[in-house]
Amino acid sequence: MSFRPSRRDALAVAALALIAAPAFAADEVDLGPAQPGRIRAAKVEAAIRLIPADFKFATPGKLTVASVPGRLPFAVLATDNKTPVGSEPDIAQLVADGLGLELVNVPTVWADWPLGLVSGKFDAVIHNVTVTEERKEKFDFSTYRKDLLGFYVALTNKIANISKPEDIAGLKVIVSSGTNQEQILLRWIEANKAKGLAATELQYYDDEAVLDLAIQSGRADAYFGPNATSAFKASRQNNLKQVGTFSGGWPITAEIAVTTRKGSGLADAVTAVLNEQIANGNYAKSLARWSLSAEAIDKSQTNPPGLPKK
């Protein structure tokens, strides 16, 4: 069973806005282009030696990285309306510093990054790209973060833990249509049905404010979506709590990675830089800055197994 709010429903829920906690204010986050709080790194000579002699950077002496500004903590445009800032540009800075290069962070749209990378417009893409077997046919990867999905409920909700399919039986769960997390929930619902457990009602909202109000008002029990955005929101509001996380490829583990051109040879150098940052603590500090510590990995890998082809 699913629920999609009508315009009347949306207006009714929106009327509760005065009693709901607001989303974080822009002035609570440094959106200036200078980013003085960004973690910086020293050169990693061993990684620099791994860069192929014939590798041609988009701009000599610089690492040109594509980012997709749109939502924190990943990236948004700074107050100058041209510089991407967020967790992904911070990782890009660590990589550029480690390779001894100046960072050039180029804003783009999601649909354009593959062609931009293949054509040499960018040296790398660093924006929440999950490693998949299909993508590995065209690109190389250096992992730097777990791909996690999270369950979030109102702070006052009595739900303490969602760790298995049976835990959603009888609940009303918000999810985005057409997403991997929706497919996971649909599989769980079918499994629970076969066991004779209570039905789960899926709810869909296009408006994030209405979604938030549905959670706070009790119209919905939980939200299941990308952990990074919800964790960032929860860290700046006092009305949400995480009650469970799952791999974005459940039951298969999925990881996010720096994406480079297939066979260019840059991936091994990037992986070496990331592992040095993991070892010296810069990596942990960078993730903590954007409330992403739960998605930290112990070791970066070049082209690990990815999510299987559909």
Side-chain angles (χ1 to χ4, degrees):
M1 180 178 181
S2 63
F3 168 81
R4 293 181 183 273
S6 66
R7 178 174 175 78
R8 181 178 180 180
D9 290 325
L11 291 173
V13 177
L16 298 173
L18 292 177
I19 63 172
F24 69 89
D27 59 7
E28 294 177 3
V29 181
D30 177 14
L31 297 181
Q35 292 293 292
R38 178 177 286 170
I39 309 303
R40 301 298 299 269
K43 291 182 181 180
V44 181
E45 296 296 342
I48 294 173
R49 289 194 293 271
L50 292 175
I51 301 174
D54 60 352
F55 183 86
K56 294 183 179 180
F57 288 95
T59 301
K62 299 180 180 181
L63 183 69
T64 303
V65 177
S67 183
V68 185
R71 189 174 186 183
L72 290 173
F74 302 134
V76 295
L77 289 180
T79 51
D80 64 0
N81 204 35
K82 64 179 182 180
T83 304
V85 298
S87 63
E88 306 300 66
D90 279 13
I91 292 294
Q93 187 70 69
L94 290 179
V95 173
D97 286 348
L99 294 178
L101 300 168
E102 178 185 344
L103 175 64
V104 178
N105 222 319
V106 180
T108 189
V109 297
W110 180 263
D112 289 350
W113 72 255
L115 179 58
L117 186 56
V118 170
S119 68
K121 181 179 180 180
F122 317 125
D123 301 313
V125 175
I126 303 180
H127 196 93
N128 205 45
V129 180
T130 301
V131 181
T132 70
E133 289 303 309
E134 184 173 5
R135 286 173 177 163
K136 282 169 61 179
E137 294 177 356
K138 297 181 179 179
F139 308 105
D140 286 331
F141 294 96
S142 302
T143 58
Y144 66 92
R145 188 159 48 78
K146 296 176 184 175
D147 182 359
L148 288 185
L149 299 172
F151 277 100
Y152 284 79
V153 302
L155 194 63
T156 56
N157 195 302
K158 294 182 180 180
I159 296 174
N161 184 51
I162 297 177
S163 60
K164 55 187 182 301
E166 293 84 349
D167 292 337
I168 68 167
L171 299 184
K172 295 173 287 186
V173 182
I174 298 173
V175 69
S176 295
S177 179
T179 60
N180 190 47
Q181 53 265 30
E182 181 193 34
Q183 292 304 310
I184 291 173
L185 289 180
L186 291 174
R187 294 201 300 271
W188 289 3
I189 289 170
E190 285 301 310
N192 287 343
K193 182 179 179 181
K195 295 177 181 179
L197 299 178
T200 299
E201 178 186 288
L202 298 187
Q203 297 184 6
Y204 302 85
Y205 295 92
D206 295 326
D207 189 315
E208 186 174 356
V210 176
L211 181 158
D212 291 343
L213 290 166
I215 290 291
Q216 298 305 321
S217 69
R219 181 185 288 271
D221 297 303
Y223 166 70
F224 187 43
N227 182 70
T229 51
S230 292
F232 183 76
K233 182 190 295 184
S235 71
R236 282 155 177 77
Q237 297 178 187
N238 193 33
N239 61 359
L240 286 175
K241 62 180 179 181
Q242 181 201 90
V243 294
T245 59
F246 295 83
S247 171
W250 185 92
I252 302 171
T253 299
E255 290 192 353
I256 304 298
V258 177
T259 309
T260 52
R261 289 190 293 279
K262 186 71 176 178
S264 68
L266 189 60
D268 285 339
V270 172
T271 299
V273 168
L274 289 169
N275 280 322
E276 174 61 25
Q277 304 318 306
I278 290 171
N280 65 27
N282 283 337
Y283 167 78
K285 292 176 183 177
S286 183
L287 291 190
R289 187 170 183 242
W290 300 98
S291 305
L292 292 176
S293 298
E295 303 192 4
I297 59 175
D298 296 325
K299 181 181 180 180
S300 176
Q301 299 181 74
T302 299
N303 292 330
L307 296 183
K309 294 181 181 180
K310 295 181 180 179

